[in-house]
Amino acid sequence: MLGTTRPTSDPLPDPNAAGPFDRTRPRVFVAVAVAFAANLGSLGAARGQAWASEPGLVGFLLLLVAPAALLFLLPRRPAVAAVLSVAATVTFLLLGYPWGPVFLGPVAVLAGIMLSGDARRARLIAWSGAALLAGGVSAVASLIAPRVEQALTDEPRPPRSEWGPGHGPGWNADDGGWLLSPGSLIAAAAWLAVVLLVASGARDRITRRVAARAAARATAAERERTAVASERLRIARELHDVLAHSLSAINVQAGVGLHLLEKNPGQAREALSNIRDTSKDALAEVRTVLGIVREGTSPPAQGTLHDGAAPLTPTWDLTGLHALADQARAEGLDVTVELAADVSGLPDHVVGVVHRVVQESLTNVRRHAPSARRVTLRVTRHDGVEVVVADDGVPAGGPVEPGYGLLGMRERVEGAGGTLTAGPRGGGAGWEVRARLPVSEGSSQASTRSTGSGQAGSTTEASDRPETGDTA
């Protein structure tokens, strides 16, 4: 087969595929946004948390650690980026600075790790970093909770809404002490898990889209290679059919001319004339075939060839078979042509296959069975079209290995949905080629209407379309 069969299922994501944060531009945008939001947000949060102090120069530098790690350490050193961002956050909280916006930095770093580098390694490092962040924040909350409790007790504020029983008068919504409560810590950990799950799902979706685009490009490239191979096969088959048939005829006529050159110059001159006509026809047909590879080139009109020439392209009737038979008779073969009456309205592509099968069969008789004297050519129609070419010769040199000619015939017939058999005749000496081709009634009627309207100018051989079936 010319092409390769690919699975139709969705392409599996490649764990080593690059993530969106492997590129610098998304990291720059997120890093700048996080740095701006964390610094301004911490200044505002300090005013709502009576026990916290406004971040100074050290605090602002600590808030810039996570954006810097996101920008400069990903995707090459994700583990170092996670550790530095968590360490800077824990240090920021231990110094008594406000809670809240400071978590934007480590969360952005962990999400960036999930969206960059190797997918499996990114998940491992991101979830490990999340566990490290949750543990560090919980430890800081345990360490500073008594100090915060004492500060809020020494300078109490009138509570408006209690966070929960047992927290004392200072743990209310106005002073921000609720941020250190176990419920707040658990909620923050849950939100962190949601962010990482969303990032992981986005990474998988992006990876699948990238894999699908890569598979589409590979499929398009494979389709292009298959089309090129099919076109090459078609041109090679056409050239073989043209050259093998014409050169075999030239070889026979040249032998006759050499043999009669001194004994009968008149017949030798006739043989040379046949060689000239055959070579002229072959040259014209080769030009037609080569015109396939030249964009915008159309085959020469049928009228450019003399009446006895084989058609450059299969005609809309089977008169070309008589021309092939006449050419074989000129070389000493007794050719009988039997065409059923109901085969005149066959579709163009079927006529093309029939013509090429007969042409190659007669060529094989001249090349491989020089002792043949009689050839029977029969075209009948029942459920489809049956073509039979039989001779009475004996293959020269013993059994003949199938060559390009038989392979080309089989490809043409099977490409049109038919079957071909070739082998010794059952009832005696000789060789028989039998091809069966299906014919639909609709296409046959359309061909008959086209023939009746006289539109017989430009025909193409449908069997020359790229085949997808197996070849012998």
Side-chain angles (χ1 to χ4, degrees):
M1 300 195 49
L2 295 176
T4 57
T5 302
R6 293 185 174 273
T8 57
S9 59
D10 294 335
L12 296 176
D14 182 7
N16 297 319
F21 271 36
D22 285 339
R23 295 176 294 173
T24 304
R25 183 177 298 178
R27 298 203 311 272
V28 171
F29 176 80
V30 174
V32 172
V34 167
F36 185 78
N39 281 277
L40 288 185
S42 295
L43 288 175
R47 299 176 182 178
Q49 301 174 19
W51 45 269
S53 59
E54 290 188 0
L57 178 60
V58 175
F60 288 131
L61 292 177
L62 289 173
L63 290 174
L64 293 177
V65 171
L70 177 66
L71 181 58
F72 297 109
L73 295 179
L74 294 185
R76 295 185 302 274
R77 292 179 172 82
V80 177
V83 171
L84 286 180
S85 62
V86 171
T89 302
V90 171
T91 304
F92 184 89
L93 299 176
L94 284 174
L95 293 178
Y97 296 128
W99 289 48
V102 66
F103 297 115
L104 290 175
V107 171
V109 170
L110 295 177
I113 292 173
M114 190 71 76
L115 295 172
S116 64
D118 177 75
R120 294 193 182 96
R121 182 167 175 257
R123 289 190 179 93
L124 177 62
I125 295 175
W127 287 110
S128 299
L132 181 63
L133 177 62
V137 171
S138 299
V140 171
S142 301
L143 289 175
I144 69 172
R147 187 178 63 188
V148 173
E149 183 80 19
Q150 184 64 39
L152 295 177
T153 303
D154 293 342
E155 298 181 5
R157 289 187 177 187
R160 294 180 183 178
S161 60
E162 297 292 338
W163 175 255
H167 293 297
W171 297 87
N172 56 63
D174 291 336
D175 55 37
W178 60 272
L179 290 169
L180 280 68
S181 65
S184 297
L185 296 177
I186 294 174
W191 277 110
L192 176 60
V194 169
V195 170
L196 292 184
L197 288 174
V198 170
S200 178
R203 175 68 184 273
D204 289 341
R205 183 176 181 181
I206 292 172
T207 302
R208 284 193 294 269
R209 290 176 61 184
V210 171
R213 286 196 294 267
R217 288 193 296 269
T219 301
E222 183 65 25
R223 188 181 299 114
E224 183 178 355
R225 287 193 295 269
T226 301
V228 171
S230 300
E231 189 68 6
R232 288 176 176 172
L233 177 61
R234 182 165 81 104
I235 295 172
R237 187 169 55 232
E238 289 288 347
L239 288 175
H240 174 273
D241 290 346
V242 173
L243 295 179
H245 178 79
S246 301
L247 293 179
S248 296
I250 290 173
N251 181 59
V252 172
Q253 294 291 339
V256 172
L258 289 175
H259 179 71
L260 299 176
L261 185 59
E262 296 181 357
K263 298 179 180 179
N264 194 336
Q267 291 187 6
R269 186 179 298 107
E270 182 180 355
L272 292 176
S273 178
N274 291 334
I275 291 175
R276 181 195 60 190
D277 294 339
T278 303
S279 60
K280 180 181 177 181
D281 297 342
L283 181 60
E285 194 165 358
V286 167
R287 286 175 178 171
T288 301
V289 174
L290 294 180
I292 298 173
V293 298
R294 294 184 178 274
E295 185 177 1
T297 301
S298 58
Q302 293 286 342
T304 59
L305 299 179
H306 61 79
D307 296 336
L312 297 181
T313 57
T315 56
W316 287 8
D317 54 38
L318 296 177
T319 57
L321 301 184
H322 293 286
L324 294 175
D326 291 340
Q327 190 176 38
R329 293 188 187 101
E331 298 166 6
L333 290 175
D334 182 8
V335 182
T336 302
V337 180
E338 301 175 6
L339 300 181
D342 55 352
V343 299
S344 58
L346 293 176
D348 298 336
H349 73 279
V350 176
V351 175
V353 176
V354 171
H355 180 89
R356 290 305 190 192
V357 168
V358 172
Q359 183 185 53
E360 183 60 30
S361 299
L362 294 176
T363 300
N364 287 340
V365 172
R366 288 193 295 266
R367 294 178 59 190
H368 303 298
S371 62
R373 291 294 175 265
R374 295 182 58 85
V375 177
T376 300
L377 165 59
R378 184 170 63 252
V379 181
T380 58
R381 182 172 180 179
H382 301 289
D383 295 336
V385 176
E386 184 178 67
V387 183
V388 178
V389 181
D391 64 82
D392 60 353
V394 178
V400 179
E401 293 294 331
Y404 293 116
L406 182 60
L407 178 62
M409 281 195 294
R410 193 178 301 277
E411 287 174 347
R412 289 181 186 277
V413 173
E414 292 181 352
T419 59
L420 182 134
T421 58
R425 298 173 63 181
W431 187 269
E432 180 181 272
V433 176
R434 184 182 299 268
R436 294 183 176 89
L437 299 168
V439 180
S440 62
E441 290 299 327
S443 62
S444 178
Q445 293 173 2
S447 177
T448 303
R449 288 194 299 268
S450 299
T451 304
S453 62
Q455 298 174 353
S458 59
T459 62
T460 57
E461 188 172 352
S463 66
D464 284 342
R465 293 192 298 265
E467 292 90 353
T468 57
D470 295 335
T471 58

